Amino acid sequence: MLRRLALSAALLASLGQAALVRIEVKERSDVLGAKAFGAAGSYERIIGRAWFAVDPKLAANRIIMDIDKAPRNTDGQVEFSSDIYILKPKDVRAGNGSILFEVSNRGGKGMLGIFNRAGGSTDPRTERELGDGFLLEQGYTLVWLGWQFDVPDQPNLLHFYAPVAKGIKGLVRAEITVDSKETSHSVADRNHRPYPVLNPGDAALTLTVRDRVEGPRQNVPRTQWHIEEATRVVMNSGFEPGRIYELVYTAQDPPVAGAGMAAMRDTISFLKYGGAKDGAKNALLGDQNGDQNGDRNGDQNGGQNGYLKRAVAFGVSQSGRFLRTWLYDGFNQDERNRKVFDGVMAHVAGAGRGSFNVRFAQPSRDGHPFLNTLYPTDIFPFTDLDETDGGLTDGLLSHAMKPADWPKVFYSNSAYEYYGRDASLIHTSIDGKKDAPLPASTRVYFFAGGQHGPAAFPPPRNHTQNMSNPNPYTWSLRALLMAMNTWVKDGSEPPPSLYPKVAADQAVQLGAVQFPKIPGVSFPTRTTRAWHADYGPQFRKEGIVTQEPPKLGAPFPLLFPQVDRDGNDVAGIRLPEIQAPLATYTGWNLRAPDIGAPDELYSMQGSWIPFARTKADRLKAGDPRLSIEERYAGREEYLTKFEAAAKSLAGAGYLLASDVPKLVERGAAEWDYLHR
């Protein structure tokens, strides 16, 4: 306890006038009893709260929506704070010099599950929760920070404590879709904190219902519903599954949501470059006694001689969209015009951004099919470089940053993001007729036959028409992380982009996808669309929505991955499950009839459709796909082909050679499951 208090006092005194003004350390403890992780040695855990103060007049801060409306301290600065969680080598000099920052998804911690194959945890402490130790053995300093103001009040979630723009009123749209009948539902997304309805008894409030995203809205009579506790809609007869209910109302006192981006920016800047006084970073990142003997010039001279020289951001789904928004809004340079992240890995974000730096932001609303439709998520521009639509020219990287501040970027998507997240727009022209150019600093990776997050194996059927897709493509992310770190460290080129190309007839219109006619399987006729949407005249430049729901124009043209005779995607990173298949792996699945709207996509789910075991079974079922018996002489031949595919991917840099045996074990389990 005394050591922790002494460290916190040292930090309070040393951070000075930096945008990150202090860190209160609540816990500093050994990871797994000081177990050694390779050359990086033992790790420690630092849990605390980071406090910030920013000058709203600086150009780097004027990009924060409503920062000029927030309260100011006596120095004229806007204050806010975030929960912070760090896993680092006890001797940070033994690490690899790289920060791996995960943009927390709804307050959680997910990168240990992806990179370390760990069990899920919001406070990882056990062997199961830390997994195989991959990231720790590589020597990364792992950092999480609260950025989202509305995460639920649950233990160990990372919170952002935002400033509030008091007195401001504006429109909020609540969308409600249920899978089973409910009579009461929050106006917020999921279990997040809602914006209270300012006048719950207002007779002018209107609740509508429709069956399609673009379908006509019908008013629900006011006598059939009411607002309870200013935060819940109560429907007397219950909300019907598979229908889209919508309430537009006035709220007040929006949090300055975009300050969460500034918190992230200033934390990474501090860890790379130090605070106003040169001992600050070492006090946090040195040994448990607050080692002050590191190279202090690193803190003053841009980190070139400091302990942490590089920073890579990683975000999944919502967090990947956050990173795309971060790039577009221009947050990758700090208040002193220094580059923040050297690399960005936005995973399964598709072409989306999100409601992260706007007035009355709803950062959890994601725009997936039949969850949160028509929120400002899939909005122009979509490509890194400039594209032109309707006379407007813009680009994700070119919008607000000079090329010197562009990080190296990996966009990785599964097949699902093409059906449910408009992923083709990141690499095609705005008319969908040709491939769009990529910057030299960007790579695009497509995981063929994957769903938003791989299902467990054996796969479940969660109110879907087909079993969920267990394609374990996230093994490839370990190799891509290593490639990214090497790229930002010494300039070594990563593996080439792999994604469906228009020029190769691999990216096609939905009606041109040559999916086989498998008995009992329906190919989707409806997918998520990105629309030309009008949120009012103040939205694009000011981030203020005045038109709810938005007025819809034409949808943007979308393309989809072409498939082979088995229904498996022909382009992209094709894991052994696709190259030596036992099943068809798709990025789409449809809703089961029991939850309504059975012709709509089930959000974030793909399909796993096994082959028949024998030719006789195949012919009896009328399945056009060759049976397992017709493909492989037996288990040994199958595993030989499976292993060869894995080794080929490893040789090209899309898998780690050390992971090949683990994938072969998985392949054996898949064979055995289908032959049980």
Side-chain angles (χ1 to χ4, degrees):
M1 178 65 70
L2 291 177
R3 181 175 294 168
R4 293 202 299 267
L5 290 174
L7 174 62
S8 185
L11 288 170
L12 286 168
S14 63
L15 291 180
Q17 298 301 311
L20 194 163
V21 296
R22 70 183 190 272
I23 297 176
E24 296 176 353
V25 177
K26 300 176 182 178
E27 177 185 342
R28 190 164 196 160
S29 58
D30 290 339
V31 172
L32 293 180
K35 172 184 175 180
F37 291 93
S42 58
Y43 265 67
E44 63 178 338
R45 173 186 302 103
I46 299 173
I47 303 174
R49 188 162 171 177
W51 296 80
F52 306 86
V54 300
D55 183 347
K57 298 187 296 296
L58 290 179
N61 297 323
R62 288 200 299 270
I63 62 177
I64 304 169
M65 175 64 197
D66 281 338
I67 193 67
D68 59 326
K69 309 293 192 304
R72 305 186 190 190
N73 63 20
T74 55
D75 294 324
Q77 296 183 320
V78 177
E79 298 180 336
F80 43 91
S81 64
S82 297
D83 295 330
I84 189 168
Y85 195 108
I86 298 174
L87 297 178
K88 57 165 283 290
K90 290 180 72 173
D91 180 357
V92 75
R93 292 165 294 189
N96 66 0
S98 295
I99 300 163
L100 180 58
F101 180 93
E102 180 186 12
V103 181
S104 174
N105 189 312
R106 297 174 174 87
K109 301 177 182 71
M111 66 177 164
L112 293 176
I114 289 177
F115 294 113
N116 281 22
R117 322 302 297 180
S121 175
T122 55
D123 184 21
R125 293 177 183 270
T126 67
E127 292 274 5
R128 184 191 72 83
E129 294 166 343
L130 288 158
D132 64 12
F134 172 76
L135 293 175
L136 285 69
E137 290 174 354
Q138 296 299 320
Y140 288 98
T141 290
L142 308 180
V143 181
W144 295 265
L145 185 84
W147 63 267
Q148 185 175 342
F149 67 90
D150 64 343
V151 298
D153 289 322
Q154 295 177 2
N156 302 317
L157 293 184
L158 295 161
H159 293 83
F160 174 59
Y161 308 94
V164 174
K166 290 285 188 179
I168 291 179
K169 299 178 183 179
L171 292 180
V172 174
R173 180 164 54 92
E175 186 176 280
I176 298 172
T177 302
V178 299
D179 290 343
S180 60
K181 202 156 192 174
E182 297 180 20
T183 57
S184 177
H185 202 285
S186 172
V187 296
D189 183 39
R190 311 180 198 211
N191 59 347
H192 287 58
R193 296 180 182 180
Y195 288 108
V197 180
L198 186 60
N199 186 1
D202 186 355
L205 286 175
T206 301
L207 181 71
T208 64
V209 64
R210 65 195 194 278
D211 295 315
R212 303 289 191 193
V213 172
E214 69 277 25
R217 293 170 170 84
Q218 297 177 326
N219 288 343
V220 180
R222 192 68 167 88
T223 56
Q224 295 183 13
W225 62 276
H226 66 276
I227 306 296
E228 190 172 84
E229 297 177 347
T231 60
R232 301 190 70 82
V233 181
V234 177
M235 177 76 74
N236 298 341
S237 59
F239 297 100
E240 297 178 29
R243 306 195 77 190
I244 305 170
Y245 295 85
E246 191 174 67
L247 175 73
V248 178
Y249 62 93
T250 298
Q252 184 171 290
D253 300 339
V256 182
M261 291 187 162
M264 194 168 105
R265 174 197 70 193
D266 295 338
T267 298
I268 298 303
S269 178
F270 165 68
L271 293 176
K272 282 179 64 175
Y273 304 120
K277 296 187 178 180
D278 58 13
K281 187 169 71 166
N282 295 338
L284 180 65
L285 297 177
D287 64 26
Q288 292 196 32
N289 293 314
D291 176 20
Q292 301 290 315
N293 298 319
D295 187 339
R296 296 185 176 183
N297 290 328
D299 289 334
Q300 293 295 311
N301 298 326
Q304 66 268 32
N305 298 314
Y307 298 150
L308 296 175
K309 305 174 183 179
R310 298 168 292 280
V312 173
F314 175 68
V316 178
S317 189
Q318 176 211 38
S319 306
R321 294 186 292 105
F322 178 99
L323 286 171
R324 286 175 56 84
T325 307
W326 161 281
L327 294 172
Y328 180 76
D329 286 354
F331 279 95
N332 207 48
Q333 63 176 17
D334 68 10
E335 290 184 345
R336 294 166 64 179
N337 298 318
R338 298 170 300 192
K339 182 185 288 189
V340 181
F341 287 114
D342 305 279
V344 164
M345 298 177 67
H347 179 54
V348 293
R353 300 205 305 272
S355 183
F356 306 124
N357 186 27
V358 298
R359 182 175 291 178
F360 289 104
Q362 297 190 73
S364 188
R365 302 282 189 179
D366 50 27
H368 282 288
F370 259 70
L371 273 183
N372 303 296
T373 59
L374 305 183
Y375 286 91
T377 300
D378 301 310
I379 53 178
F380 178 88
F382 306 103
T383 57
D384 279 359
L385 301 177
D386 280 352
E387 55 184 344
T388 300
D389 179 59
L392 179 65
T393 298
D394 207 355
L396 212 65
L397 293 181
S398 56
H399 175 75
M401 289 190 295
K402 56 184 182 295
D405 293 321
W406 294 1
K408 305 288 194 290
V409 177
F410 285 176
Y411 297 124
S412 54
N413 289 290
S414 75
Y416 168 79
E417 283 69 51
Y418 285 78
Y419 289 86
R421 184 81 284 158
D422 312 317
S424 67
L425 292 171
I426 70 173
H427 56 73
T428 62
S429 58
I430 202 67
D431 59 6
K433 294 182 178 180
K434 61 183 179 180
D435 300 303
L438 301 179
S441 56
T442 293
R443 298 290 182 274
V444 174
Y445 300 111
F446 166 57
F447 294 116
Q451 73 173 34
H452 193 64
F457 187 83
R461 192 192 303 263
N462 296 320
H463 295 293
T464 54
Q465 295 184 21
N466 309 311
M467 285 185 285
S468 295
N469 185 341
N471 181 354
Y473 66 83
T474 50
W475 282 102
S476 187
L477 288 174
R478 287 164 57 124
L480 293 182
L481 173 62
M482 299 290 283
M484 171 61 82
N485 192 54
T486 303
W487 196 16
V488 300
K489 179 181 178 181
D490 58 28
S492 298
E493 290 285 324
S497 296
L498 281 181
Y499 57 91
K501 301 285 184 65
V502 176
D505 294 324
Q506 299 165 337
V508 299
Q509 295 182 1
L510 186 66
V513 177
Q514 298 172 354
F515 194 78
K517 297 184 182 301
I518 304 172
V521 176
S522 298
F523 185 75
T525 57
R526 298 175 53 79
T527 70
T528 296
R529 298 187 192 182
W531 298 86
H532 289 85
D534 180 5
Y535 295 93
Q538 293 178 272
F539 177 72
R540 179 164 291 278
K541 290 186 177 181
E542 300 177 64
I544 301 173
V545 174
T546 57
Q547 174 66 48
E548 284 284 22
K551 296 178 181 178
L552 295 186
F556 290 95
L558 301 181
L559 300 178
F560 303 86
Q562 187 56 279
V563 300
D564 61 20
R565 60 183 294 183
D566 294 324
N568 286 318
D569 300 324
V570 298
I573 301 174
R574 303 176 83 237
L575 269 286
E577 277 79 1
I578 307 298
Q579 295 191 48
L582 297 173
T584 298
Y585 294 80
T586 79
W588 50 264
N589 208 333
L590 299 181
R591 294 166 60 91
D594 66 295
I595 61 171
D599 62 343
E600 295 280 1
L601 295 181
Y602 193 101
S603 182
M604 297 182 269
Q605 297 292 303
S607 300
W608 188 64
I609 311 167
F611 301 146
R613 283 179 56 179
T614 67
K615 181 178 180 180
D617 291 341
R618 174 176 73 83
L619 294 175
K620 182 179 179 180
D623 193 332
R625 304 168 300 161
L626 292 179
S627 66
I628 296 174
E629 173 187 79
E630 293 171 283
R631 295 167 187 269
Y632 311 106
R635 188 176 189 269
E636 183 176 351
E637 181 185 350
Y638 158 72
L639 288 177
T640 297
K641 292 182 177 181
F642 191 100
E643 183 175 17
K647 288 182 175 179
S648 176
L649 288 167
Y654 301 107
L655 285 174
L656 297 179
S658 58
D659 286 338
V660 168
K662 300 167 188 173
L663 269 80
V664 174
E665 287 181 14
R666 168 63 179 260
E670 292 167 355
W671 176 278
D672 294 342
Y673 176 78
L674 292 175
H675 289 81
R676 66 194 189 284

